[in-house]
Amino acid sequence: MISGAIIAVAFAAFLIFAPGAGTTNPSPLWIAVIWGALMFIYGAFRAIRGRHALDHPRGGTSVDGK
């Protein structure tokens, strides 16, 4: 959640405050802002909802039943 917020804010700040930010051409760096925002949203969701039944304690999933 924190890393997603850092990525989104960093790229958004670069896009807003960089020289030539007032141009009308859309920048592909907005993809990084959207990606960071999605990471933040997913992190907030997992923080609120907690662990899922398929989450394995050592990482990965326990779908195979082991």
Side-chain angles (χ1 to χ4, degrees), residues 5 7-8 10 13 17-18 27 34-36 42-43 46 48 52 56 59-60 64:
I7 290 170
F17 298 116
S27 174
I34 294 169
W35 180 64
Y42 180 71
R46 294 314 286 167
I48 293 168
H52 190 270
H56 194 275
D64 60 354

Side-chain angles (χ1 to χ4, degrees), residues 7-65:
I7 290 170
V9 169
F11 277 94
F14 178 75
L15 287 169
I16 292 170
F17 298 116
T23 62
T24 58
N25 295 336
S27 174
L29 291 176
W30 283 109
I31 294 171
V33 174
I34 294 169
W35 180 64
L38 288 174
M39 284 177 55
F40 175 79
I41 291 168
Y42 180 71
F45 172 75
R46 294 314 286 167
I48 293 168
R49 294 287 298 199
R51 297 181 60 85
H52 190 270
L54 293 178
D55 289 340
H56 194 275
R58 294 185 183 151
T61 60
S62 59
V63 174
D64 60 354

